[in-house]
Amino acid sequence: MPDWKPEILRRLAPLKLTPAREAEIAEEIAQHLEDRYQELLATGQSEDAAFRTVIDELKGEDFLARSLRPVERDLYREPVALGKGSSTFFSGVLQDIRHALRMLRKSPGFTAIAVLTLALGIGANTAIFSVVNGVLLNPLPYPQPNQLVEVAELNPPFHEGSISYPNFLDWVQQNHTFQSLAGYRQNDFSLTGVGEPQRVKVGQVSASFFPILDVKPVAGRNFTATEDKRGAAPTVMLSEALWKTKFGGSRDIVGKMITLDGTGYTVVGVVPSNFYFCCASTNFHLDDVYTPIGQWRQDFFTNVKLTGASSR
Amino acid sequence: MENATSQTEWKRGSAELLILSLVEARPRHGYEISKIIEQRSGGTVRFHVASLYPMLYRLERRGWLQGRWVEKGGQRRRRYYRVTRLGRRVLASQLRGWREFVAGINRITEAENA
């Protein structure tokens, strides 16, 4: 009696079925072939002829696998072993996803709890990361950034409004909460008398501004409280970039006069180029010069913004 | 050649109907199904092993058939297929469609040949 199973297993091999499924199909088809073989022998065929006829009815080496492939494709697939590549990796993933979705649909209670847990987990992680990112990964580029706050006036509909300069002075005088308060605003002046006239950006800051942010001038000094008052002699600090491009980076610049909007200002210091005021809409690292805000005579009631209030 | 092609197409279209019909009355194994089809058709319809079993597995997967290994005294175990409740509904529908189709063909051909 011929052994039909090797013939069948060889034809099933490309399907990569599980051993159990492969054995089941082989057993069933082998019985069929044996029945057919016996039937042909009964009609008087020789064993060789009967064997050839039966094998011919398998229709070649690949017909059986091709016919079975669409049927067996999603069932009885040999699981992919870890570390072993598979050409059907993504189809397996899709199958897993479909299976997972079916299971979730069957258990709505479990699904709701799982989704809620995930949502809370993601939310908590996001909140914690925001803190870690701000405090540990990207802290403010100043010493003791955890002690710096931005102060604003709540003046509906503005949630973060600037305040008038007289109010700022009152806040500074009546402050019992912070070590120090600083105000700032931006302006534009015309710089003349040094080569071609140039429009420069001006950071008008209170005398406390640079000390709060611990900015050390690369030349000269910061503004004094005396200079930050109406009627004081006009003084100015240059940005390091302007100092180098317009004045050649000369240290003699301190104490010299420059002309802004037709008024003579005495240079008292140079702000380092690495100074970056990161936390407001004002972008101070582009500012070309700085002047004490208290000297600003044109509009005493102009609004200022507050920052760098370091806590007690 | 043309006749062989037509037969292949007819077989393909009617295979499900034939198999479901044969296991409706009682469970049968694959070889038995193929022999009955061959005998009752007078040898004009034959399913070879390589196409019969994929068809049986397909019907089983659709839930129209259910296969079960049965061991009868002194014999090798065999896989018997029986029709399921869903399979019966499909069979009834296919039979109705088939009879309407044949009746329609008959009406056309009889009218032409009358």
Side-chain angles (χ1 to χ4, degrees):
Chain A
M1 188 175 76
D3 187 2
W4 304 105
K5 284 189 178 175
E7 295 285 341
I8 299 163
L9 290 173
R10 193 175 67 246
R11 288 167 170 80
L12 294 178
L15 296 174
K16 295 187 178 359
L17 302 172
T18 62
R21 178 60 180 163
E22 195 174 63
E24 186 178 43
I25 293 176
E27 181 179 351
E28 186 171 20
I29 295 180
Q31 283 182 8
H32 185 111
L33 298 185
E34 179 60 22
D35 287 341
R36 177 72 175 140
Y37 177 73
Q38 294 298 334
E39 177 196 341
L40 292 172
L41 290 181
T43 62
Q45 282 196 24
S46 68
E47 290 184 354
D48 281 352
F51 179 80
R52 280 197 304 276
T53 303
V54 171
I55 291 297
D56 284 349
E57 289 179 358
L58 284 171
K59 302 285 183 187
E61 285 290 323
D62 62 343
F63 185 85
L64 184 63
R66 274 194 288 119
S67 303
L68 282 170
R69 182 166 284 120
V71 186
E72 301 289 327
R73 187 171 47 205
D74 295 331
L75 293 173
Y76 314 115
R77 177 67 68 184
E78 185 96 66
V80 178
L82 286 176
K84 187 180 173 186
S86 168
S87 61
T88 57
F89 177 77
F90 286 107
S91 63
V93 169
L94 287 175
Q95 191 179 341
D96 290 345
I97 291 171
R98 282 197 297 270
H99 177 72
L101 290 176
R102 280 199 301 274
M103 293 297 105
L104 289 173
R105 208 162 41 230
K106 274 185 177 176
S107 317
F110 170 79
T111 305
I113 291 169
V115 169
L116 193 65
T117 306
L118 275 172
L120 289 173
I122 291 169
N125 264 304
T126 306
I128 290 169
F129 179 76
S130 300
V131 173
V132 170
N133 188 47
V135 175
L136 298 178
L137 301 179
N138 290 304
L140 296 174
Y142 315 111
Q144 297 178 308
N146 57 327
Q147 293 193 316
L148 290 174
V149 294
E150 189 172 26
V151 183
E153 185 176 63
L154 177 62
N155 187 13
F158 305 105
H159 293 289
E160 294 182 8
S162 54
I163 63 167
S164 70
Y165 184 69
N167 278 349
F168 166 66
L169 294 179
D170 289 343
W171 286 20
V172 170
Q173 194 175 15
Q174 297 165 22
N175 165 47
H176 297 291
T177 307
F178 303 106
Q179 281 184 353
S180 185
L181 283 165
Y184 64 90
R185 70 188 299 272
Q186 271 196 314
N187 213 332
D188 293 286
F189 285 167
S190 293
L191 171 66
T192 53
V194 189
E196 290 289 315
Q198 182 180 338
R199 197 73 180 159
V200 294
K201 287 191 174 298
V202 182
Q204 295 177 301
V205 299
S206 62
S208 54
F209 183 79
F210 289 123
I212 281 180
L213 300 177
D214 200 29
V215 176
K216 304 277 193 303
V218 292
R221 57 170 174 78
N222 281 322
F223 297 122
T224 64
T226 313
E227 290 164 348
D228 188 21
K229 285 181 179 166
R230 294 186 79 185
T235 50
V236 67
M237 291 178 76
L238 306 179
S239 68
E240 189 173 349
L242 186 73
W243 175 49
K244 286 181 175 170
T245 55
K246 278 283 187 183
F247 304 98
S250 168
R251 293 201 166 264
D252 295 342
I253 191 66
V254 177
K256 289 194 173 168
M257 296 279 285
I258 65 170
T259 305
L260 296 170
D261 271 6
T263 303
Y265 284 73
T266 305
V267 177
V268 297
V270 176
V271 177
S273 58
N274 63 0
F275 169 62
Y276 176 62
F277 193 56
C278 66
C279 308
S281 55
T282 312
N283 203 355
F284 267 34
H285 76 291
L286 293 176
D287 284 4
D288 296 315
V289 298
Y290 302 86
T291 60
I293 196 169
Q295 294 181 1
W296 184 238
R297 297 182 297 276
Q298 291 182 10
D299 182 3
F300 183 72
F301 290 95
T302 188
N303 279 7
V304 297
K305 291 182 177 178
L306 270 66
T307 191
S310 99
S311 63
R312 284 183 186 278
Chain B
M1 182 68 185
E2 194 175 315
N3 192 37
T5 308
S6 300
Q7 281 208 7
T8 306
E9 293 302 316
W10 291 350
K11 261 169 66 175
R12 193 169 294 160
S14 58
E16 294 173 1
L17 174 65
L18 297 180
I19 291 172
L20 288 172
S21 299
L22 289 178
V23 297
E24 186 190 16
R26 67 179 181 85
R28 299 181 193 275
H29 55 76
Y31 184 73
E32 186 182 4
I33 292 170
S34 73
K35 289 313 296 176
I36 293 174
I37 289 174
E38 185 180 351
Q39 286 166 3
R40 290 189 186 171
S41 68
T44 56
V45 181
R46 289 184 63 191
F47 286 99
H48 290 300
V49 59
S51 44
L52 175 67
Y53 287 91
M55 172 66 68
L56 288 171
Y57 299 153
R58 186 177 302 121
L59 298 185
E60 188 177 20
R61 193 177 161 195
R62 287 180 190 163
W64 299 358
L65 292 184
Q66 188 181 41
R68 195 161 64 93
W69 288 100
V70 176
E71 204 158 350
K72 293 186 177 172
Q75 293 181 1
R76 291 168 301 173
R77 66 175 196 155
R78 286 181 178 279
R79 198 146 197 265
Y80 282 79
Y81 293 88
R82 67 170 188 82
V83 70
T84 63
R85 187 174 295 177
L86 174 62
R88 282 184 201 283
R89 285 207 297 273
V90 172
L91 174 61
S93 168
Q94 288 199 357
L95 271 176
R96 200 164 47 246
W98 177 255
R99 282 168 184 151
E100 286 169 4
F101 175 73
V102 171
I105 295 291
N106 285 339
R107 282 195 295 276
I108 294 167
T109 53
E110 283 165 7
E112 287 296 313
N113 294 314

